[in-house]
Amino acid sequence: MKRRVPKVADLAPLMQFKKPQFDAKKRRLDAALTIDDLRTIAKRRTPKAAFDYTDGSAEAELSIARARQAFADIEFHPAILRDVSKVDTSCTILGGRSELPFGIAPTGFTRMMQTEGEYAGARAAGHAGIPFSLSTMGTASIEDVKNANPSGRNWFQLYMWKDRERSMALVERAANAGYDTLLVTVDVPVAGARLRDKRNGMSIPPALTAKTVLNALPRPQWWIDFLTTEPLAFASLDRWSGTVAELLDTMFDPTVTFDDLAWITRQWPGKLVVKGIQTIDDAKAVTDLGVDGIVLSNHGGRQLDRAPIPFHLLPEAAREVGNDTEIILDTGITSGADIVASVALGARFTLIGRAYLYGLMAGGEAGVNRTIEILAEQITRTMRLLGVASLDELTPAHVTQLQRLAPRDRHVQSQPPAM
């Protein structure tokens, strides 16, 4: 091989340096290319109790692991030679437009994760043209969230309390504030056993123990924000001093039935969605009540561990009730490919919870914007690689759910050995 002395003109194209970014927040968010990258940043910047409340689930945390594995266990079937120079990611959901096939799920205690809390989520959702859902357990009021997202779509999530009058007072406030959809969550008769929270002594407001102080030392910005902004409280509830589990068990009503759901449906003037459907029979039952939509969800694995995997229920639910009600999916979504697969198998829409909170903890409103950007980029790229230019072109033929867990026939008994 003949060698030569390199010329400056040959080296110049190889020696291009990026302009330095002096904004530390923008630098770390720009470096995040996936939701898991945002999770890594969030864990580094957030005290353990707050991070674990977001990241954890119930008991052995099998439900959330299985839900995520279900999305990993798919095979896409792309079509080639299609014009995908322009891709439309918008859809119509519950009578309104969304620029992307996902919205922000209702999450509780949100300002504990990062002080901008629901305000950041609502503003980011409004900017992106997607719905924002406020939880009954939110730390910003119904009216303040509306003010943060005045022209966007706001949804309100309701837990039925033992005190029905207080529950319906919240519903009335949401209607008066212009929320267009009510999400009635039905999978919380009692609180799930969230063991990370118990081990961390997670309470509202956070307790300053020696352990929490030591854990906070490398995370001064979280504590500066926490101590210099309005006190953390439940905006829709009276002040509470105690553990999260104690609050949930005090507030949630294990006597709620289908009759209560029918009664709520008659009270609400907008669209009504039932969140927490985990069987086909229940999907049919609430659809028969005339609800506008259902959310296939096991509460992010935070209630009954080993609960059904919503993504696995989706194809049959779409066949059984998809023509009669709008199907929304949550639990386990960590990428735009997960969302595309859900739409292909019959979901009209999806909701993101942890993914949004990871972005919030990583960088406030800018971090939520980054979450939405990452998912939007992944959705667009996946659609192009599949050869579809709009969500309506996605069909079950584009996705195969690969089998990892399969039920055994409960009627088949092992036979004793022959004598």
Side-chain angles (χ1 to χ4, degrees):
M1 180 181 293
K2 186 176 181 180
R3 299 183 182 275
R4 64 182 179 82
V5 176
K7 299 178 182 179
V8 175
D10 296 331
L11 294 176
L14 305 176
M15 300 178 66
Q16 298 180 13
F17 299 98
K18 289 183 178 180
K19 183 178 179 181
Q21 175 56 255
F22 297 106
D23 184 331
K25 179 192 290 187
K26 189 174 189 314
R27 185 169 62 246
R28 67 173 179 267
L29 293 178
D30 286 348
L33 304 180
T34 65
I35 300 302
D36 195 55
D37 289 343
L38 290 175
R39 179 187 180 277
T40 299
I41 298 169
K43 186 173 184 179
R44 193 165 61 235
R45 298 184 58 81
T46 310
K48 180 176 173 58
F51 178 82
D52 277 357
Y53 176 78
T54 300
D55 194 59
S57 56
E59 301 193 42
E61 305 195 356
L62 296 174
S63 288
I64 186 62
R66 289 175 179 177
R68 288 172 175 159
Q69 188 64 54
F71 283 114
D73 291 343
I74 65 168
E75 182 177 84
F76 280 124
H77 305 293
I80 62 171
L81 300 177
R82 306 297 200 274
D83 182 357
V84 289
S85 55
K86 295 181 180 179
V87 171
D88 182 6
T89 62
S90 68
C91 65
T92 300
I93 179 68
L94 299 168
R97 179 182 173 90
S98 178
E99 297 301 325
L100 294 160
F102 68 89
I104 292 181
T107 60
F109 320 127
T110 313
R111 288 187 55 247
M112 179 181 65
M113 289 71 158
Q114 203 272 354
T115 50
E116 294 177 57
E118 289 91 354
Y119 305 115
R123 287 192 292 262
H127 178 73
I130 65 176
F132 174 82
S133 308
L134 174 64
S135 170
T136 297
M137 311 298 292
T139 46
S141 75
I142 291 168
E143 293 78 14
D144 286 348
V145 166
K146 177 63 177 179
N147 290 336
N149 185 24
S151 57
R153 297 188 66 189
N154 294 298
W155 298 354
F156 183 68
Q157 177 270 330
L158 176 71
Y159 290 118
M160 276 303 290
W161 302 351
K162 295 174 183 177
D163 186 338
R164 294 290 196 270
E165 290 186 7
R166 292 180 67 198
S167 294
M168 299 319 293
L170 292 179
V171 170
E172 184 176 357
R173 282 174 58 189
N176 291 339
Y179 285 60
D180 64 78
T181 296
L182 183 69
L183 303 173
V184 182
T185 297
V186 295
D187 59 355
V188 189
V190 295
R194 303 174 191 176
L195 302 186
R196 288 204 220 181
D197 296 343
K198 290 184 178 181
R199 290 170 180 139
N200 290 329
M202 219 284 279
S203 62
I204 302 295
L208 289 175
T209 64
K211 185 177 179 180
T212 55
V213 170
L214 286 173
N215 182 255
L217 289 178
R219 301 166 178 85
Q221 189 60 54
W222 187 94
W223 281 106
I224 291 170
D225 290 341
F226 177 76
L227 295 172
T228 59
T229 56
E230 60 181 292
L232 181 64
F234 299 113
S236 298
L237 309 173
D238 296 332
R239 289 192 177 273
W240 176 262
S241 179
T243 68
V244 174
E246 289 169 346
L247 170 64
L248 300 185
D249 284 338
T250 298
M251 189 180 74
F252 297 150
D253 187 353
T255 71
V256 174
T257 67
F258 281 92
D259 290 339
D260 295 289
L261 179 60
W263 178 72
I264 295 169
T265 302
R266 293 193 295 270
Q267 311 301 310
W268 176 252
K271 299 290 186 180
L272 190 139
V273 175
V274 180
K275 184 176 183 293
I277 300 299
Q278 298 174 69
T279 70
I280 300 302
D281 285 345
D282 282 345
K284 292 178 180 177
V286 299
T287 299
D288 288 343
L289 289 177
V291 301
D292 299 291
I294 61 172
V295 183
L296 298 179
S297 168
N298 65 27
H299 215 101
R302 298 164 72 80
Q303 284 299 107
L304 176 65
D305 204 13
R306 301 176 176 87
I309 299 167
F311 185 59
H312 283 174
L313 291 174
L314 176 59
E316 186 177 1
R319 289 192 297 270
E320 294 292 336
V321 302
N323 292 329
D324 302 312
T325 194
E326 297 190 68
I327 299 174
I328 301 171
L329 184 92
D330 78 9
T331 302
I333 292 172
T334 60
S335 76
D338 298 344
I339 294 170
V340 170
S342 299
V343 174
L345 291 181
R348 187 66 185 168
F349 202 64
T350 61
L351 293 173
I352 59 164
R354 287 183 179 88
Y356 142 60
L357 294 176
Y358 292 147
L360 178 68
M361 291 185 285
E365 183 178 347
V368 182
N369 287 334
R370 185 61 184 142
T371 291
I372 296 171
E373 288 172 2
I374 289 171
L375 293 175
E377 290 167 2
Q378 292 172 337
I379 288 168
T380 301
R381 182 171 58 250
T382 303
M383 290 174 64
R384 282 189 164 131
L385 290 172
L386 283 174
V388 300
S390 71
L391 297 173
D392 289 338
E393 294 178 26
L394 289 167
T395 73
H398 287 106
V399 180
T400 295
Q401 291 181 321
L402 304 177
Q403 181 174 292
R404 183 181 296 264
L405 296 175
R408 293 181 61 186
D409 186 340
R410 69 184 68 184
H411 300 294
V412 175
Q413 303 294 328
S414 59
Q415 298 296 318
M419 299 299 291

